[in-house]
Amino acid sequence: MANVIVRPPWHLPDSAVTPESVYHRRRDFLRAMGFIGGGLAVGLPALAQSTNLAKATAFSAGKRNPDFNPTVRLSDEEAATHYNNFYEFSTTKTRVRDLASRFRTDPWTLEVNGLCENPLKLGLNDLLQGFPHEERVYRFRCVVAWSMVVPWSGFPLAQLIAKAKPKAEAKFVAFTAVLRPEEMPGVVRLPDYPWPYTEGLRMDEALHPLTMVATGLYGKPLPKQNGAPVRLVVPWKYGYKSIKSIVRIEFTAKQPSTLWETLNAQEYPFESNVDPQVPHPRWSQASERVVDTGERIPTQYLNGYADLVAKLYPKRKV
Ligand code: MTE
């Protein structure tokens, strides 16, 4: 069974997938024309009509960081933006995009508070322009054993934490997603869930340079279904740790509760590191299905980032 290739409904043959080099040539062209991250975009009538003009002008994907550019093939953008987990909208991955289309992501305020010297209230422009953005290609592994490889734009969470100046007693970082039942049909359909969606990290995990605040995907502002306007990306942990549409970051002394851990601590524990040797109580984590090709590949310890983060988990023998 392990070698059977499961084709999802939106499967594209490899021949239809944009090779990475073509994707970059196309981006270079668009940037030269002023469509990506440039001032010229302001003058273009097509963009001027865009309801997202403020975001389109402020967002800059940043240069790709060569240190985070695995030699594996990028997942197809269509798959990454049409196959989403965002339970506030729907538990059906292929419906999230449509159901999120009326979700308001501008204006936005991200509050940073709790045990820190310098609490912050960051608006969209503070997030987009107050931190130098770069692009990083990360592997992304969901707990239910699908995976993809995508280019995120953003900055290390450590930079934001530094601005807030956490106190010595702050040992954890708690994250809270926006909750607007009037715009989020999934919340209404799941009244027993402990909303809002919450997540958390240990302080050393939050400060690790791999941990990223993302505002973009594939060189564009984050699509709503992928967590606009600002989300977390923790590539060595199962995807549910990467909380979308964040409105609050709080420094705490105690380990914060999280939505998934509250629902089922045995199946979705706080730590949730990708580990092929630790099966989920209901399925193996030894392999994963690549979302756009359906190929099944072995899962790597810490999702392939063991050289960078294994030292955070000295008790686990590699
Ligand atoms: N964040 C919020 N607010 N709500 C969610 O339901 N789902 C998580 C995570 N962040 C989720 C969330 C899960 S289970 C996964 S696998 C990833 O988002 C999926 O991210 P993607 O849709 O961008 O691939």
PDB file of all heavy atoms in Angstrom, residues 14 17-21 23-24 27 64 68-77 80 135-139 148-152 217-218 290-293:
ATOM      1  N   ASP A  14       2.812  16.130 -13.753  1.00  0.00           N
ATOM      2  CA  ASP A  14       4.064  16.873 -13.593  1.00  0.00           C
ATOM      3  C   ASP A  14       4.291  17.843 -14.747  1.00  0.00           C
ATOM      4  O   ASP A  14       4.813  18.930 -14.569  1.00  0.00           O
ATOM      5  CB  ASP A  14       5.254  15.915 -13.495  1.00  0.00           C
ATOM      6  CG  ASP A  14       5.457  15.492 -12.040  1.00  0.00           C
ATOM      7  OD1 ASP A  14       4.742  16.013 -11.172  1.00  0.00           O
ATOM      8  OD2 ASP A  14       6.314  14.653 -11.805  1.00  0.00           O
ATOM      9  N   VAL A  17       2.937  21.276 -14.176  1.00  0.00           N
ATOM     10  CA  VAL A  17       3.395  22.052 -13.025  1.00  0.00           C
ATOM     11  C   VAL A  17       4.493  23.005 -13.471  1.00  0.00           C
ATOM     12  O   VAL A  17       5.391  22.630 -14.203  1.00  0.00           O
ATOM     13  CB  VAL A  17       3.931  21.103 -11.928  1.00  0.00           C
ATOM     14  CG1 VAL A  17       4.576  21.889 -10.801  1.00  0.00           C
ATOM     15  CG2 VAL A  17       2.795  20.242 -11.401  1.00  0.00           C
ATOM     16  N   THR A  18       4.409  24.258 -13.025  1.00  0.00           N
ATOM     17  CA  THR A  18       5.423  25.230 -13.399  1.00  0.00           C
ATOM     18  C   THR A  18       6.751  24.873 -12.749  1.00  0.00           C
ATOM     19  O   THR A  18       6.841  24.806 -11.532  1.00  0.00           O
ATOM     20  CB  THR A  18       5.022  26.631 -12.887  1.00  0.00           C
ATOM     21  OG1 THR A  18       3.685  26.867 -13.271  1.00  0.00           O
ATOM     22  CG2 THR A  18       5.932  27.703 -13.439  1.00  0.00           C
ATOM     23  N   PRO A  19       7.806  24.625 -13.545  1.00  0.00           N
ATOM     24  CA  PRO A  19       9.096  24.363 -12.906  1.00  0.00           C
ATOM     25  C   PRO A  19       9.547  25.616 -12.161  1.00  0.00           C
ATOM     26  O   PRO A  19       9.211  26.735 -12.544  1.00  0.00           O
ATOM     27  CB  PRO A  19      10.035  24.069 -14.072  1.00  0.00           C
ATOM     28  CG  PRO A  19       9.181  23.954 -15.271  1.00  0.00           C
ATOM     29  CD  PRO A  19       7.890  24.632 -14.984  1.00  0.00           C
ATOM     30  N   GLU A  20      10.342  25.420 -11.100  1.00  0.00           N
ATOM     31  CA  GLU A  20      10.736  26.531 -10.243  1.00  0.00           C
ATOM     32  C   GLU A  20      11.454  27.631 -11.043  1.00  0.00           C
ATOM     33  O   GLU A  20      11.201  28.813 -10.833  1.00  0.00           O
ATOM     34  CB  GLU A  20      11.647  25.998  -9.141  1.00  0.00           C
ATOM     35  CG  GLU A  20      11.867  27.019  -8.048  1.00  0.00           C
ATOM     36  CD  GLU A  20      12.786  26.491  -6.958  1.00  0.00           C
ATOM     37  OE1 GLU A  20      12.921  25.265  -6.819  1.00  0.00           O
ATOM     38  OE2 GLU A  20      13.354  27.330  -6.257  1.00  0.00           O
ATOM     39  N   SER A  21      12.338  27.222 -11.997  1.00  0.00           N
ATOM     40  CA  SER A  21      13.102  28.235 -12.729  1.00  0.00           C
ATOM     41  C   SER A  21      12.166  29.137 -13.540  1.00  0.00           C
ATOM     42  O   SER A  21      12.345  30.344 -13.616  1.00  0.00           O
ATOM     43  CB  SER A  21      14.111  27.561 -13.652  1.00  0.00           C
ATOM     44  OG  SER A  21      13.420  26.690 -14.517  1.00  0.00           O
ATOM     45  N   TYR A  23       9.001  29.731 -12.797  1.00  0.00           N
ATOM     46  CA  TYR A  23       8.290  30.550 -11.814  1.00  0.00           C
ATOM     47  C   TYR A  23       9.115  31.791 -11.461  1.00  0.00           C
ATOM     48  O   TYR A  23       8.632  32.900 -11.419  1.00  0.00           O
ATOM     49  CB  TYR A  23       7.995  29.689 -10.579  1.00  0.00           C
ATOM     50  CG  TYR A  23       7.660  30.463  -9.328  1.00  0.00           C
ATOM     51  CD1 TYR A  23       6.469  31.166  -9.205  1.00  0.00           C
ATOM     52  CD2 TYR A  23       8.554  30.483  -8.265  1.00  0.00           C
ATOM     53  CE1 TYR A  23       6.182  31.878  -8.053  1.00  0.00           C
ATOM     54  CE2 TYR A  23       8.272  31.179  -7.107  1.00  0.00           C
ATOM     55  CZ  TYR A  23       7.082  31.884  -7.007  1.00  0.00           C
ATOM     56  OH  TYR A  23       6.795  32.583  -5.880  1.00  0.00           O
ATOM     57  N   HIS A  24      10.448  31.593 -11.295  1.00  0.00           N
ATOM     58  CA  HIS A  24      11.272  32.742 -10.925  1.00  0.00           C
ATOM     59  C   HIS A  24      11.476  33.693 -12.076  1.00  0.00           C
ATOM     60  O   HIS A  24      11.467  34.905 -11.877  1.00  0.00           O
ATOM     61  CB  HIS A  24      12.604  32.272 -10.344  1.00  0.00           C
ATOM     62  CG  HIS A  24      12.411  31.815  -8.940  1.00  0.00           C
ATOM     63  ND1 HIS A  24      12.166  32.702  -7.945  1.00  0.00           N
ATOM     64  CD2 HIS A  24      12.302  30.579  -8.407  1.00  0.00           C
ATOM     65  CE1 HIS A  24      11.954  32.041  -6.828  1.00  0.00           C
ATOM     66  NE2 HIS A  24      12.033  30.744  -7.094  1.00  0.00           N
ATOM     67  N   ARG A  27       8.471  35.712 -12.173  1.00  0.00           N
ATOM     68  CA  ARG A  27       8.443  36.709 -11.090  1.00  0.00           C
ATOM     69  C   ARG A  27       9.373  37.874 -11.382  1.00  0.00           C
ATOM     70  O   ARG A  27       9.036  39.017 -11.134  1.00  0.00           O
ATOM     71  CB  ARG A  27       8.838  36.061  -9.762  1.00  0.00           C
ATOM     72  CG  ARG A  27       7.695  35.382  -9.107  1.00  0.00           C
ATOM     73  CD  ARG A  27       8.050  35.054  -7.692  1.00  0.00           C
ATOM     74  NE  ARG A  27       8.352  36.259  -6.934  1.00  0.00           N
ATOM     75  CZ  ARG A  27       9.063  36.245  -5.808  1.00  0.00           C
ATOM     76  NH1 ARG A  27       9.544  35.137  -5.349  1.00  0.00           N
ATOM     77  NH2 ARG A  27       9.269  37.362  -5.155  1.00  0.00           N
ATOM     78  N   ARG A  64      14.866  35.856  -2.001  1.00  0.00           N
ATOM     79  CA  ARG A  64      14.917  34.497  -1.459  1.00  0.00           C
ATOM     80  C   ARG A  64      16.217  34.294  -0.680  1.00  0.00           C
ATOM     81  O   ARG A  64      17.300  34.633  -1.160  1.00  0.00           O
ATOM     82  CB  ARG A  64      14.824  33.462  -2.573  1.00  0.00           C
ATOM     83  CG  ARG A  64      14.858  32.066  -1.986  1.00  0.00           C
ATOM     84  CD  ARG A  64      14.452  31.009  -2.960  1.00  0.00           C
ATOM     85  NE  ARG A  64      13.071  31.152  -3.385  1.00  0.00           N
ATOM     86  CZ  ARG A  64      12.465  30.292  -4.194  1.00  0.00           C
ATOM     87  NH1 ARG A  64      13.118  29.254  -4.636  1.00  0.00           N
ATOM     88  NH2 ARG A  64      11.217  30.486  -4.548  1.00  0.00           N
ATOM     89  N   PHE A  68      17.633  28.855   2.983  1.00  0.00           N
ATOM     90  CA  PHE A  68      16.371  28.119   3.145  1.00  0.00           C
ATOM     91  C   PHE A  68      15.763  27.899   1.771  1.00  0.00           C
ATOM     92  O   PHE A  68      14.751  28.496   1.407  1.00  0.00           O
ATOM     93  CB  PHE A  68      15.412  28.900   4.057  1.00  0.00           C
ATOM     94  CG  PHE A  68      16.010  29.216   5.392  1.00  0.00           C
ATOM     95  CD1 PHE A  68      16.465  30.489   5.685  1.00  0.00           C
ATOM     96  CD2 PHE A  68      16.146  28.216   6.351  1.00  0.00           C
ATOM     97  CE1 PHE A  68      17.031  30.777   6.917  1.00  0.00           C
ATOM     98  CE2 PHE A  68      16.725  28.494   7.578  1.00  0.00           C
ATOM     99  CZ  PHE A  68      17.170  29.780   7.863  1.00  0.00           C
ATOM    100  N   ASN A  69      16.421  27.069   1.013  1.00  0.00           N
ATOM    101  CA  ASN A  69      15.997  26.853  -0.363  1.00  0.00           C
ATOM    102  C   ASN A  69      16.294  25.396  -0.723  1.00  0.00           C
ATOM    103  O   ASN A  69      17.215  25.112  -1.466  1.00  0.00           O
ATOM    104  CB  ASN A  69      16.796  27.811  -1.270  1.00  0.00           C
ATOM    105  CG  ASN A  69      16.133  27.995  -2.610  1.00  0.00           C
ATOM    106  OD1 ASN A  69      15.019  27.536  -2.828  1.00  0.00           O
ATOM    107  ND2 ASN A  69      16.833  28.641  -3.518  1.00  0.00           N
ATOM    108  N   PRO A  70      15.529  24.448  -0.151  1.00  0.00           N
ATOM    109  CA  PRO A  70      15.859  23.045  -0.377  1.00  0.00           C
ATOM    110  C   PRO A  70      15.806  22.713  -1.864  1.00  0.00           C
ATOM    111  O   PRO A  70      15.080  23.356  -2.631  1.00  0.00           O
ATOM    112  CB  PRO A  70      14.777  22.286   0.408  1.00  0.00           C
ATOM    113  CG  PRO A  70      13.692  23.270   0.662  1.00  0.00           C
ATOM    114  CD  PRO A  70      14.304  24.628   0.627  1.00  0.00           C
ATOM    115  N   THR A  71      16.582  21.712  -2.238  1.00  0.00           N
ATOM    116  CA  THR A  71      16.682  21.402  -3.665  1.00  0.00           C
ATOM    117  C   THR A  71      15.466  20.620  -4.168  1.00  0.00           C
ATOM    118  O   THR A  71      15.421  20.229  -5.318  1.00  0.00           O
ATOM    119  CB  THR A  71      17.961  20.572  -3.937  1.00  0.00           C
ATOM    120  OG1 THR A  71      17.963  19.487  -2.989  1.00  0.00           O
ATOM    121  CG2 THR A  71      19.207  21.404  -3.778  1.00  0.00           C
ATOM    122  N   VAL A  72      14.482  20.422  -3.311  1.00  0.00           N
ATOM    123  CA  VAL A  72      13.282  19.701  -3.753  1.00  0.00           C
ATOM    124  C   VAL A  72      12.365  20.626  -4.550  1.00  0.00           C
ATOM    125  O   VAL A  72      12.442  21.853  -4.433  1.00  0.00           O
ATOM    126  CB  VAL A  72      12.496  19.121  -2.555  1.00  0.00           C
ATOM    127  CG1 VAL A  72      13.112  17.839  -2.088  1.00  0.00           C
ATOM    128  CG2 VAL A  72      12.405  20.114  -1.416  1.00  0.00           C
ATOM    129  N   ARG A  73      11.516  20.009  -5.340  1.00  0.00           N
ATOM    130  CA  ARG A  73      10.600  20.744  -6.214  1.00  0.00           C
ATOM    131  C   ARG A  73       9.541  21.500  -5.395  1.00  0.00           C
ATOM    132  O   ARG A  73       8.993  20.973  -4.441  1.00  0.00           O
ATOM    133  CB  ARG A  73       9.931  19.685  -7.108  1.00  0.00           C
ATOM    134  CG  ARG A  73       8.981  20.169  -8.110  1.00  0.00           C
ATOM    135  CD  ARG A  73       8.320  18.935  -8.760  1.00  0.00           C
ATOM    136  NE  ARG A  73       6.952  19.243  -9.084  1.00  0.00           N
ATOM    137  CZ  ARG A  73       5.946  19.221  -8.210  1.00  0.00           C
ATOM    138  NH1 ARG A  73       6.160  18.866  -6.965  1.00  0.00           N
ATOM    139  NH2 ARG A  73       4.743  19.544  -8.592  1.00  0.00           N
ATOM    140  N   LEU A  74       9.282  22.754  -5.786  1.00  0.00           N
ATOM    141  CA  LEU A  74       8.215  23.533  -5.142  1.00  0.00           C
ATOM    142  C   LEU A  74       6.869  22.892  -5.443  1.00  0.00           C
ATOM    143  O   LEU A  74       6.640  22.431  -6.554  1.00  0.00           O
ATOM    144  CB  LEU A  74       8.148  24.930  -5.751  1.00  0.00           C
ATOM    145  CG  LEU A  74       8.969  26.065  -5.192  1.00  0.00           C
ATOM    146  CD1 LEU A  74       8.512  27.364  -5.840  1.00  0.00           C
ATOM    147  CD2 LEU A  74       8.818  26.165  -3.693  1.00  0.00           C
ATOM    148  N   SER A  75       5.975  22.905  -4.474  1.00  0.00           N
ATOM    149  CA  SER A  75       4.619  22.425  -4.745  1.00  0.00           C
ATOM    150  C   SER A  75       3.919  23.415  -5.654  1.00  0.00           C
ATOM    151  O   SER A  75       4.230  24.603  -5.673  1.00  0.00           O
ATOM    152  CB  SER A  75       3.828  22.302  -3.449  1.00  0.00           C
ATOM    153  OG  SER A  75       4.415  21.319  -2.634  1.00  0.00           O
ATOM    154  N   ASP A  76       2.958  22.903  -6.362  1.00  0.00           N
ATOM    155  CA  ASP A  76       2.193  23.739  -7.274  1.00  0.00           C
ATOM    156  C   ASP A  76       1.368  24.763  -6.472  1.00  0.00           C
ATOM    157  O   ASP A  76       0.684  24.402  -5.507  1.00  0.00           O
ATOM    158  CB  ASP A  76       1.272  22.823  -8.073  1.00  0.00           C
ATOM    159  CG  ASP A  76       0.366  23.602  -8.972  1.00  0.00           C
ATOM    160  OD1 ASP A  76       0.876  24.502  -9.648  1.00  0.00           O
ATOM    161  OD2 ASP A  76      -0.841  23.320  -8.970  1.00  0.00           O
ATOM    162  N   GLU A  77       1.433  26.012  -6.876  1.00  0.00           N
ATOM    163  CA  GLU A  77       0.744  27.085  -6.144  1.00  0.00           C
ATOM    164  C   GLU A  77      -0.763  26.836  -6.057  1.00  0.00           C
ATOM    165  O   GLU A  77      -1.398  27.094  -5.035  1.00  0.00           O
ATOM    166  CB  GLU A  77       1.026  28.420  -6.840  1.00  0.00           C
ATOM    167  CG  GLU A  77       0.343  29.592  -6.169  1.00  0.00           C
ATOM    168  CD  GLU A  77       0.667  30.923  -6.827  1.00  0.00           C
ATOM    169  OE1 GLU A  77       1.590  30.982  -7.668  1.00  0.00           O
ATOM    170  OE2 GLU A  77      -0.019  31.906  -6.497  1.00  0.00           O
ATOM    171  N   ALA A  80      -1.412  24.442  -3.237  1.00  0.00           N
ATOM    172  CA  ALA A  80      -1.167  25.010  -1.900  1.00  0.00           C
ATOM    173  C   ALA A  80      -2.221  26.031  -1.499  1.00  0.00           C
ATOM    174  O   ALA A  80      -2.440  26.274  -0.314  1.00  0.00           O
ATOM    175  CB  ALA A  80       0.223  25.656  -1.861  1.00  0.00           C
ATOM    176  N   GLU A 135      12.260  35.761   1.475  1.00  0.00           N
ATOM    177  CA  GLU A 135      11.491  34.577   1.083  1.00  0.00           C
ATOM    178  C   GLU A 135      12.271  33.329   1.469  1.00  0.00           C
ATOM    179  O   GLU A 135      13.483  33.251   1.270  1.00  0.00           O
ATOM    180  CB  GLU A 135      11.249  34.594  -0.428  1.00  0.00           C
ATOM    181  CG  GLU A 135      10.291  33.503  -0.859  1.00  0.00           C
ATOM    182  CD  GLU A 135      10.000  33.579  -2.346  1.00  0.00           C
ATOM    183  OE1 GLU A 135      10.918  33.315  -3.148  1.00  0.00           O
ATOM    184  OE2 GLU A 135       8.858  33.892  -2.700  1.00  0.00           O
ATOM    185  N   ARG A 136      11.539  32.364   2.045  1.00  0.00           N
ATOM    186  CA  ARG A 136      12.160  31.092   2.429  1.00  0.00           C
ATOM    187  C   ARG A 136      11.301  29.944   1.927  1.00  0.00           C
ATOM    188  O   ARG A 136      10.084  29.954   2.129  1.00  0.00           O
ATOM    189  CB  ARG A 136      12.247  30.981   3.948  1.00  0.00           C
ATOM    190  CG  ARG A 136      13.152  32.007   4.580  1.00  0.00           C
ATOM    191  CD  ARG A 136      13.153  31.789   6.059  1.00  0.00           C
ATOM    192  NE  ARG A 136      14.067  32.699   6.725  1.00  0.00           N
ATOM    193  CZ  ARG A 136      14.411  32.580   7.999  1.00  0.00           C
ATOM    194  NH1 ARG A 136      13.905  31.596   8.742  1.00  0.00           N
ATOM    195  NH2 ARG A 136      15.241  33.426   8.546  1.00  0.00           N
ATOM    196  N   VAL A 137      11.956  28.974   1.329  1.00  0.00           N
ATOM    197  CA  VAL A 137      11.228  27.784   0.892  1.00  0.00           C
ATOM    198  C   VAL A 137      11.312  26.753   2.006  1.00  0.00           C
ATOM    199  O   VAL A 137      12.406  26.325   2.391  1.00  0.00           O
ATOM    200  CB  VAL A 137      11.830  27.217  -0.418  1.00  0.00           C
ATOM    201  CG1 VAL A 137      11.083  25.962  -0.827  1.00  0.00           C
ATOM    202  CG2 VAL A 137      11.765  28.262  -1.515  1.00  0.00           C
ATOM    203  N   TYR A 138      10.161  26.392   2.540  1.00  0.00           N
ATOM    204  CA  TYR A 138      10.101  25.447   3.654  1.00  0.00           C
ATOM    205  C   TYR A 138       9.281  24.227   3.268  1.00  0.00           C
ATOM    206  O   TYR A 138       8.268  24.345   2.569  1.00  0.00           O
ATOM    207  CB  TYR A 138       9.398  26.084   4.865  1.00  0.00           C
ATOM    208  CG  TYR A 138      10.226  26.981   5.757  1.00  0.00           C
ATOM    209  CD1 TYR A 138       9.586  27.720   6.752  1.00  0.00           C
ATOM    210  CD2 TYR A 138      11.602  27.099   5.642  1.00  0.00           C
ATOM    211  CE1 TYR A 138      10.303  28.548   7.624  1.00  0.00           C
ATOM    212  CE2 TYR A 138      12.324  27.931   6.506  1.00  0.00           C
ATOM    213  CZ  TYR A 138      11.676  28.650   7.486  1.00  0.00           C
ATOM    214  OH  TYR A 138      12.386  29.464   8.347  1.00  0.00           O
ATOM    215  N   ARG A 139       9.683  23.086   3.814  1.00  0.00           N
ATOM    216  CA  ARG A 139       8.803  21.916   3.783  1.00  0.00           C
ATOM    217  C   ARG A 139       7.687  22.146   4.795  1.00  0.00           C
ATOM    218  O   ARG A 139       7.907  22.772   5.841  1.00  0.00           O
ATOM    219  CB  ARG A 139       9.578  20.653   4.161  1.00  0.00           C
ATOM    220  CG  ARG A 139      10.428  20.088   3.049  1.00  0.00           C
ATOM    221  CD  ARG A 139      11.125  18.812   3.505  1.00  0.00           C
ATOM    222  NE  ARG A 139      12.207  19.167   4.407  1.00  0.00           N
ATOM    223  CZ  ARG A 139      13.435  19.460   4.005  1.00  0.00           C
ATOM    224  NH1 ARG A 139      13.753  19.404   2.735  1.00  0.00           N
ATOM    225  NH2 ARG A 139      14.360  19.792   4.879  1.00  0.00           N
ATOM    226  N   MET A 148       3.793  19.550   1.620  1.00  0.00           N
ATOM    227  CA  MET A 148       4.102  20.366   0.454  1.00  0.00           C
ATOM    228  C   MET A 148       5.392  21.138   0.710  1.00  0.00           C
ATOM    229  O   MET A 148       5.936  21.095   1.825  1.00  0.00           O
ATOM    230  CB  MET A 148       2.947  21.305   0.109  1.00  0.00           C
ATOM    231  CG  MET A 148       2.431  22.152   1.211  1.00  0.00           C
ATOM    232  SD  MET A 148       0.913  22.964   0.634  1.00  0.00           S
ATOM    233  CE  MET A 148       0.380  23.725   2.139  1.00  0.00           C
ATOM    234  N   VAL A 149       5.859  21.826  -0.312  1.00  0.00           N
ATOM    235  CA  VAL A 149       7.080  22.633  -0.207  1.00  0.00           C
ATOM    236  C   VAL A 149       6.724  23.993  -0.778  1.00  0.00           C
ATOM    237  O   VAL A 149       6.398  24.092  -1.967  1.00  0.00           O
ATOM    238  CB  VAL A 149       8.231  21.992  -1.026  1.00  0.00           C
ATOM    239  CG1 VAL A 149       9.491  22.848  -0.947  1.00  0.00           C
ATOM    240  CG2 VAL A 149       8.519  20.580  -0.539  1.00  0.00           C
ATOM    241  N   VAL A 150       6.744  25.036   0.061  1.00  0.00           N
ATOM    242  CA  VAL A 150       6.217  26.321  -0.412  1.00  0.00           C
ATOM    243  C   VAL A 150       7.128  27.495  -0.044  1.00  0.00           C
ATOM    244  O   VAL A 150       7.823  27.468   0.976  1.00  0.00           O
ATOM    245  CB  VAL A 150       4.795  26.590   0.153  1.00  0.00           C
ATOM    246  CG1 VAL A 150       3.787  25.648  -0.450  1.00  0.00           C
ATOM    247  CG2 VAL A 150       4.764  26.524   1.652  1.00  0.00           C
ATOM    248  N   PRO A 151       7.106  28.561  -0.873  1.00  0.00           N
ATOM    249  CA  PRO A 151       7.900  29.753  -0.563  1.00  0.00           C
ATOM    250  C   PRO A 151       7.087  30.754   0.264  1.00  0.00           C
ATOM    251  O   PRO A 151       6.110  31.324  -0.221  1.00  0.00           O
ATOM    252  CB  PRO A 151       8.208  30.328  -1.960  1.00  0.00           C
ATOM    253  CG  PRO A 151       7.082  29.872  -2.833  1.00  0.00           C
ATOM    254  CD  PRO A 151       6.450  28.663  -2.210  1.00  0.00           C
ATOM    255  N   TRP A 152       7.481  30.930   1.522  1.00  0.00           N
ATOM    256  CA  TRP A 152       6.829  31.912   2.394  1.00  0.00           C
ATOM    257  C   TRP A 152       7.611  33.209   2.335  1.00  0.00           C
ATOM    258  O   TRP A 152       8.840  33.186   2.232  1.00  0.00           O
ATOM    259  CB  TRP A 152       6.835  31.442   3.858  1.00  0.00           C
ATOM    260  CG  TRP A 152       6.197  30.129   4.137  1.00  0.00           C
ATOM    261  CD1 TRP A 152       6.828  28.943   4.384  1.00  0.00           C
ATOM    262  CD2 TRP A 152       4.783  29.849   4.224  1.00  0.00           C
ATOM    263  NE1 TRP A 152       5.891  27.955   4.616  1.00  0.00           N
ATOM    264  CE2 TRP A 152       4.636  28.486   4.525  1.00  0.00           C
ATOM    265  CE3 TRP A 152       3.634  30.637   4.080  1.00  0.00           C
ATOM    266  CZ2 TRP A 152       3.387  27.885   4.686  1.00  0.00           C
ATOM    267  CZ3 TRP A 152       2.398  30.037   4.235  1.00  0.00           C
ATOM    268  CH2 TRP A 152       2.281  28.681   4.533  1.00  0.00           C
ATOM    269  N   LEU A 217       3.033  34.404   0.354  1.00  0.00           N
ATOM    270  CA  LEU A 217       3.176  33.038  -0.160  1.00  0.00           C
ATOM    271  C   LEU A 217       3.318  33.135  -1.682  1.00  0.00           C
ATOM    272  O   LEU A 217       2.571  33.891  -2.317  1.00  0.00           O
ATOM    273  CB  LEU A 217       1.906  32.252   0.225  1.00  0.00           C
ATOM    274  CG  LEU A 217       1.840  30.757  -0.041  1.00  0.00           C
ATOM    275  CD1 LEU A 217       2.927  30.007   0.721  1.00  0.00           C
ATOM    276  CD2 LEU A 217       0.476  30.211   0.368  1.00  0.00           C
ATOM    277  N   TYR A 218       4.269  32.432  -2.256  1.00  0.00           N
ATOM    278  CA  TYR A 218       4.530  32.473  -3.697  1.00  0.00           C
ATOM    279  C   TYR A 218       4.696  33.913  -4.200  1.00  0.00           C
ATOM    280  O   TYR A 218       4.145  34.296  -5.235  1.00  0.00           O
ATOM    281  CB  TYR A 218       3.419  31.765  -4.486  1.00  0.00           C
ATOM    282  CG  TYR A 218       3.435  30.266  -4.306  1.00  0.00           C
ATOM    283  CD1 TYR A 218       2.703  29.682  -3.286  1.00  0.00           C
ATOM    284  CD2 TYR A 218       4.186  29.442  -5.130  1.00  0.00           C
ATOM    285  CE1 TYR A 218       2.716  28.314  -3.083  1.00  0.00           C
ATOM    286  CE2 TYR A 218       4.205  28.070  -4.946  1.00  0.00           C
ATOM    287  CZ  TYR A 218       3.465  27.517  -3.917  1.00  0.00           C
ATOM    288  OH  TYR A 218       3.477  26.159  -3.736  1.00  0.00           O
ATOM    289  N   VAL A 290       2.616  13.765  -0.975  1.00  0.00           N
ATOM    290  CA  VAL A 290       2.891  15.096  -1.517  1.00  0.00           C
ATOM    291  C   VAL A 290       1.598  15.608  -2.160  1.00  0.00           C
ATOM    292  O   VAL A 290       1.013  14.926  -3.009  1.00  0.00           O
ATOM    293  CB  VAL A 290       4.039  15.031  -2.558  1.00  0.00           C
ATOM    294  CG1 VAL A 290       4.322  16.404  -3.152  1.00  0.00           C
ATOM    295  CG2 VAL A 290       5.289  14.439  -1.922  1.00  0.00           C
ATOM    296  N   VAL A 291       1.140  16.797  -1.751  1.00  0.00           N
ATOM    297  CA  VAL A 291      -0.228  17.201  -2.120  1.00  0.00           C
ATOM    298  C   VAL A 291      -0.494  17.246  -3.611  1.00  0.00           C
ATOM    299  O   VAL A 291      -1.569  16.842  -4.054  1.00  0.00           O
ATOM    300  CB  VAL A 291      -0.659  18.584  -1.554  1.00  0.00           C
ATOM    301  CG1 VAL A 291      -1.140  18.498  -0.150  1.00  0.00           C
ATOM    302  CG2 VAL A 291       0.376  19.631  -1.744  1.00  0.00           C
ATOM    303  N   ASP A 292       0.445  17.751  -4.399  1.00  0.00           N
ATOM    304  CA  ASP A 292       0.083  17.950  -5.807  1.00  0.00           C
ATOM    305  C   ASP A 292       0.394  16.761  -6.699  1.00  0.00           C
ATOM    306  O   ASP A 292      -0.259  16.577  -7.719  1.00  0.00           O
ATOM    307  CB  ASP A 292       0.707  19.239  -6.368  1.00  0.00           C
ATOM    308  CG  ASP A 292       2.192  19.330  -6.121  1.00  0.00           C
ATOM    309  OD1 ASP A 292       2.760  18.433  -5.464  1.00  0.00           O
ATOM    310  OD2 ASP A 292       2.799  20.307  -6.590  1.00  0.00           O
ATOM    311  N   THR A 293       1.356  15.931  -6.332  1.00  0.00           N
ATOM    312  CA  THR A 293       1.668  14.784  -7.187  1.00  0.00           C
ATOM    313  C   THR A 293       1.033  13.494  -6.683  1.00  0.00           C
ATOM    314  O   THR A 293       0.904  12.529  -7.413  1.00  0.00           O
ATOM    315  CB  THR A 293       3.190  14.547  -7.260  1.00  0.00           C
ATOM    316  OG1 THR A 293       3.648  14.216  -5.949  1.00  0.00           O
ATOM    317  CG2 THR A 293       3.922  15.768  -7.790  1.00  0.00           C
TER     318      THR A 293
END
